[in-house]
Amino acid sequence: MKFEAEIILALQSILNDFWLYFFRIVTLFGSLFGFVAVLMFIFAKHKRLSYCFALTYAFGVLFNKAIKHIIMRPRPFVIYESILNLDGALGFSMPSGHSCSAALIAVFLCYYVIKFGKHRWSKICVPIFAAIYLLLIMLSRIALGAHYLTDVIAGMSEGILIAILGIIIYNLLRKKYGKTNDVKNSNK
């Protein structure tokens, strides 16, 4: 855990006003703000998938909170007084809720674009964007002193697994109950 504290301290030592502001903005997209943006995007075109996304996201948030209360790992700034809490984070540290949320958002966005996207370039660009988005969320949580490296890796892994489970359930239900009216304005 000491090497993880050194990572946080190294990142915080190079933060200037621009990077602090940047990471604070980035971290917003790993929470409810990012969820609502992607939910509205998917809902406009694919209502059933948006319902699945909303339910999966809600489950992920609740599951993450339950795991945090089981593990009860203190935040880095609680253990190391030299680490600053630049985010105002409260509660427990492991696993990162923002990383879990960002992973859920990224996986569902990629699934939607790969499954229903019409343009080849979007099927290439969106997964690249989603990976960069997820890495930036994880980096922001570390730089702001809210999480250790293992917290964000655990949160990301949790989010990816929950998203995949949600998509599997969605596809099983879609297969069982039919595909009619699944995509608004679909080409038949």
Side-chain angles (χ1 to χ4, degrees), residues 33-48:
F33 184 75
F35 162 71
V36 170
V38 172
L39 180 66
M40 289 176 16
F41 173 75
I42 295 174
F43 185 80
K45 302 277 185 187
H46 200 291
K47 289 185 175 126
R48 288 183 185 175

Side-chain angles (χ1 to χ4, degrees), residues 3-185:
F3 81 95
E4 290 183 293
E6 291 171 5
I7 293 170
I8 299 168
L9 289 168
L11 286 171
Q12 288 188 346
S13 72
I14 59 173
L15 283 182
N16 56 26
D17 289 341
F18 170 80
W19 287 110
L20 181 58
Y21 183 73
F22 176 77
F23 283 134
R24 285 181 175 161
I25 296 295
V26 164
T27 206
L28 290 175
F29 287 93
S31 61
L32 191 58
F33 184 75
F35 162 71
V36 170
V38 172
L39 180 66
M40 289 176 16
F41 173 75
I42 295 174
F43 185 80
K45 302 277 185 187
H46 200 291
K47 289 185 175 126
R48 288 183 185 175
L49 182 60
S50 71
Y51 300 147
C52 175
F53 174 51
L55 289 171
T56 304
Y57 186 87
F59 174 78
V61 168
L62 293 173
F63 186 77
N64 182 271
K65 289 187 184 304
I67 296 298
K68 281 182 185 261
H69 282 87
I70 291 169
I71 296 173
M72 297 187 341
R73 185 182 197 183
R75 300 262 181 189
F77 55 83
V78 173
I79 303 295
Y80 299 95
E81 61 186 48
S82 55
I83 293 176
L84 303 174
N85 180 8
L86 299 171
D87 183 52
L90 301 170
F92 298 114
S93 183
M94 168 77 92
S96 165
H98 281 79
S99 298
C100 176
S101 294
L104 277 159
I105 292 166
V107 169
F108 264 89
L109 187 58
C110 288
Y111 173 78
Y112 174 80
V113 170
I114 290 168
K115 181 89 172 165
F116 302 106
K118 295 179 182 174
H119 304 289
R120 185 170 181 242
W121 63 267
S122 66
K123 293 179 182 195
I124 295 168
C125 292
V126 170
I128 292 169
F129 166 78
I132 292 168
Y133 156 78
L134 181 54
L135 291 173
L136 281 173
I137 296 294
M138 294 168 66
L139 184 61
S140 75
R141 303 309 294 154
I142 296 168
L144 294 173
H147 291 286
Y148 297 104
L149 177 62
T150 50
D151 297 342
V152 297
I153 291 171
M156 175 197 63
S157 302
E158 173 190 29
I160 289 170
L161 290 173
I162 291 170
I164 290 170
L165 179 64
I167 290 167
I168 289 170
I169 291 170
Y170 165 77
N171 282 316
L172 288 173
L173 291 173
R174 192 168 163 249
K175 187 182 290 185
K176 183 175 181 176
Y177 294 108
K179 301 174 189 176
T180 58
N181 298 324
D182 219 11
V183 179
K184 197 180 202 183
N185 300 325

